[in-house]
Amino acid sequence: MPAYVPILKAKAGEVEALQHLEAPPTPLRPLLELVPPSSRQQSGDLEEAEELDGANDSDTGQGPTDPTNGGGEPRKLTRQLRKLALAIRDDLPAGTICSIDTSYIDALPFASDAWECFTATLTEQLEPTPIRPVFRLPDPPERLAWVRGVIAEFGEGACLRLGSPDSDADVRQAAALLPQVLTRLELVPEQIDVVIDLWSIEDDRDLQRGLAAAEELLKWTDQYPWRSVTVAGGAFPASIGHLPGDAVSSLPRRDADLWRQLQERQPARPPDFGDYAIAHPAPGTGSRAPMPNLRYATDAEWQVWRRRTPRELGNERFCIICRDVVASEHFPTDRRRLCWGDQQIAARSEECSSPGNAAKWRAFGTSRHLALVSDRLARCGEP
């Protein structure tokens, strides 16, 4: 049975969805990306804003660069990491081990000062729950030293991520860099989960590009006894602002299509499946006040509901969406087996005292996506 590796921004909506995750029917290894608070990434991609989000300078201002003593972004990031660590420790199903990727903060001015504090925060909050740090082969020595320290603290090895937003991983470069990186980290392949990250699968041409890259990289990974190998990509668009309001739109899940085609080409040893759930792979700059919307996963597509009118209802328009979803052919007929996200949608279809906001809508949709993919991998052997 393939395992599932959802790649999620460690933001409020995604973390809440994880907190309500029931024991999945297939092995689950979440990969969580830590993003700077000042980026104001509410949803992990672009949204059509209806109004200014009202953030003031104190929301994004830079403070002292010591993350353990002072304010500003480093302190906010440490606080965010502490909340994430508590959620991982207290709320995830037993046996679930997350990988943590800090690459989005590595280029920031305070990163080198923050790494030690992050390790201390993780160690203090997570014990005895383990995590795995994410690294890339071109990482500089100072970052690999931090990864080695986290490995030493938790004893669960690490996660190697191949590929970047700019290009797919180069096999020759990977082969050249791997020996020295393993030596620096004091690891062997059996202690490493590999994630082949194909990034965005936006159209059919991207799908073919991803297939070719994945096949080449899988041939290379077959030379080593890795703990696991995952092929991941994200098919959700960077923006839903172009989709019509007061309507439902279907978007193809090309990341799942890619994995199925890859499995057909080499059925003897299919890789594990990874995706970016209902978000685009890149961090977003979306408003905190988007038009009410819901991204709802089905077997082959996402159904995206958006509600523009009546404008005077504000966020209560989300409850209209919930009623439409529950009445649709896509909503589960067996109410006893609803995931947490579906339960929240059903409740708001009946009573609208708490319609929620963008983070809540993202939590409900992410919960539905995680439950659907986990169930399909267990029942059908495909996402």
Side-chain angles (χ1 to χ4, degrees):
M1 178 191 304
Y4 180 29
V5 180
I7 303 174
L8 305 173
K9 304 293 184 290
K11 303 294 285 184
E14 287 83 346
V15 172
E16 184 172 16
L18 282 173
Q19 287 178 289
H20 291 91
L21 188 68
E22 297 182 0
T26 190
L28 184 74
R29 297 192 304 272
L31 194 163
L32 306 176
E33 299 177 326
L34 198 65
V35 292
S38 70
S39 61
R40 291 157 61 181
Q41 293 147 347
Q42 175 64 36
S43 301
D45 46 18
L46 298 174
E47 296 279 9
E48 179 181 335
E50 294 196 302
E51 57 185 313
L52 296 177
D53 61 22
N56 56 37
D57 291 341
S58 65
D59 289 329
T60 59
Q62 297 291 327
T65 57
D66 179 359
T68 63
N69 181 24
E73 187 167 301
R75 184 163 58 100
K76 290 180 181 179
L77 191 56
T78 302
R79 187 164 62 246
Q80 177 184 334
L81 184 61
R82 185 177 296 115
K83 292 179 180 178
L84 174 64
L86 291 173
I88 293 172
R89 187 191 71 189
D90 297 337
D91 300 318
L92 292 190
T96 303
I97 300 179
C98 296
S99 296
I100 305 292
D101 192 337
T102 66
S103 60
Y104 282 116
I105 66 167
D106 290 344
L108 300 181
F110 61 84
S112 58
D113 296 325
W115 284 334
E116 183 177 352
C117 178
F118 291 165
T119 304
T121 299
L122 290 171
T123 303
E124 175 188 350
Q125 301 295 334
L126 278 173
E127 293 290 358
T129 304
I131 60 161
R132 295 166 182 152
V134 172
F135 70 97
R136 293 166 175 78
L137 293 175
D139 281 347
E142 58 270 21
R143 188 175 191 282
L144 292 176
W146 175 77
V147 171
R148 186 176 64 245
V150 177
I151 293 169
E153 286 288 346
F154 292 98
E156 272 291 335
C159 174
L160 167 60
R161 202 164 171 181
L162 300 171
S164 73
D166 301 317
S167 63
D168 296 316
D170 182 272
V171 169
R172 287 172 294 183
Q173 181 191 48
L177 292 176
L178 180 64
Q180 64 193 59
V181 172
L182 291 182
T183 298
R184 284 186 181 274
L185 296 180
E186 301 177 359
L187 287 180
V188 294
E190 291 91 338
Q191 298 169 293
I192 297 174
D193 299 299
V194 175
V195 175
I196 298 171
D197 189 353
L198 302 175
W199 199 245
S200 179
I201 313 297
E202 296 184 0
D203 51 32
D204 291 338
R205 185 169 62 176
D206 251 350
L207 191 151
Q208 295 307 313
R209 181 269 307 169
L211 279 172
E215 287 189 300
E216 184 180 15
L217 288 163
L218 286 171
K219 290 178 183 176
W220 177 72
T221 58
D222 279 345
Q223 301 174 44
Y224 302 91
W226 308 104
R227 178 163 53 196
S228 69
V229 176
T230 299
V231 172
F236 205 91
S239 173
I240 60 173
H242 65 287
L243 300 178
D246 299 329
V248 57
S249 304
S250 298
L251 300 176
R253 291 178 53 212
R254 288 191 181 90
D255 41 16
D257 291 339
L258 186 150
W259 191 90
R260 278 192 288 269
Q261 292 185 38
L262 196 62
Q263 183 188 38
E264 291 171 359
R265 295 186 184 193
Q266 49 174 42
R269 189 184 174 190
D272 292 333
F273 173 72
D275 65 15
Y276 285 82
I278 57 171
H280 187 269
T285 55
S287 167
R288 293 174 183 171
M291 181 189 304
N293 67 87
L294 180 66
R295 303 153 183 228
Y296 197 79
T298 67
D299 288 351
E301 299 172 325
W302 290 290
Q303 302 294 317
V304 181
W305 272 268
R306 304 178 76 222
R307 194 75 196 181
R308 187 185 304 275
T309 60
R311 181 75 177 265
E312 62 272 15
L313 288 183
N315 283 1
E316 291 184 12
R317 288 170 289 173
F318 183 72
C319 298
I320 301 175
I321 291 175
C322 291
R323 289 195 288 271
D324 291 341
V325 173
V326 171
S328 76
E329 62 181 309
H330 306 294
F331 199 75
T333 55
D334 187 352
R335 299 298 181 91
R336 297 168 300 178
R337 301 184 60 187
L338 297 183
C339 68
W340 173 78
D342 279 332
Q343 292 172 5
Q344 300 305 307
I345 293 167
R348 283 158 181 79
S349 74
E350 298 171 355
E351 200 274 329
C352 197
S353 60
S354 179
N357 55 20
K360 290 291 185 182
W361 309 333
R362 178 55 57 91
F364 305 157
T366 300
S367 170
R368 161 69 182 188
H369 183 97
L370 298 180
L372 175 88
V373 173
S374 296
D375 180 66
R376 285 188 55 80
L377 285 170
R379 288 190 299 107
C380 312
E382 61 177 44

